[in-house]
Amino acid sequence: MSTPFDPARQQASTVCLPPGRWATVLDCLCDHFKAIAREQWLDRFARGRVLDANGQPVAADLPYRRGLRLHYFREVPNERPIPFQETLLHCDEHLVVADKPHFLPVTPSGEYVEQTLLRRLIRRLDNPHLVPLHRIDRHTAGLVLFSANPQSRTAYQQLFPQRRIEKRYQAIAAPLPQRSFPLVHRSRLEHGQPFFRMQEVPGVANSETLAEVLKRDAERWLYGLSPVTGKTHQLRVHMAALGAAICNDPFYPDLQPDVDDYQKPLQLLAHSLRFEDPLSGEAREFESRLTLAW
């Protein structure tokens, strides 16, 4: 049986209508989002999935007005289920900690809306106020922190830009016997081609990772990685640049076909988080229950 639509339990995207000469809101949205068919927009309007700034459904024939703020709910027809389950590690009034499996996105994007960690937790905890405090890649497994209370959210969000939280990852990659560990790798990361891949470029470094070796065998090493900064794909790019791309990485050093192989997950795990709670002052430490295929 399908679940009735409840806007309080789904996070909407927001758009401010740009300048133009459209007659109706519908005409503007169709022109602005060319990948979405007019029939699909009409269906969304009919089901109350396009709202005004006050959260009230609007009609498709509402006259266009520049700067009008609208909320709409992204949908992906026939969304592919992700056959892995998250684990809830901690839940209190202010903070939720979850163990994310490989392949599950943290937030809606692209072809994933309902099959995301955020949407799953909103339904599971019946809390529409959940907001991720940081992100990890869809291909990466491990710990993700969520704010559960808007009133305390800013205090927890500040942990990251102020670097008051210690993040440790584990990764499996080829040996690097020619390098001395622990080592610090710094570089300048910018978006490359395609747009979702990052690349190292000349210039002042904007990313930094501390790498150490936790285990060794003849063919693979288990690395401990501590990102000082939090750039997109930072650990994946840095390991590839060192000459030991993380096992099963579909993006680095070379882009692989866009097909998930559930038998070969990226061997990267957000393993532990440690910080001083900004509300209580107590030391907090969380550790993933997941393991890599060592």
Side-chain angles (χ1 to χ4, degrees), residues 89 225 292:
L89 299 180
L225 304 175
L292 299 175

Side-chain angles (χ1 to χ4, degrees), residues 10-55:
Q10 298 192 38
Q11 290 198 341
S13 298
T14 301
V15 61
C16 289
L17 300 189
R21 299 194 175 191
W22 298 281
T24 66
V25 165
L26 172 63
D27 294 334
C28 176
L29 292 175
C30 289
D31 208 29
H32 190 65
F33 298 99
K34 298 183 184 297
I36 303 175
R38 189 180 186 87
E39 294 73 19
Q40 189 173 346
W41 277 118
L42 284 169
D43 180 62
R44 288 183 181 181
F45 277 101
R47 292 183 290 116
R49 296 182 78 95
V50 181
L51 313 176
D52 63 17
N54 296 317

Side-chain angles (χ1 to χ4, degrees), residues 12 16 37 47 57 78 114 133 163 168 178 233 245 247 260 263-264 279 293:
C16 289
R47 292 183 290 116
N78 304 315
E114 296 303 323
L133 293 168
R163 298 182 182 176
R168 292 182 60 82
Q178 71 278 19
H233 296 174
C247 290
D260 286 341
Q263 303 304 312
K264 295 182 178 180
L279 301 184

Side-chain angles (χ1 to χ4, degrees), residues 56-76:
Q56 298 301 310
V58 300
D61 59 357
L62 179 71
Y64 159 81
R65 188 174 79 249
R66 176 180 177 178
L68 180 66
R69 183 180 295 270
L70 296 175
H71 306 295
Y72 64 95
F73 296 88
R74 297 182 64 252
E75 298 174 320
V76 176

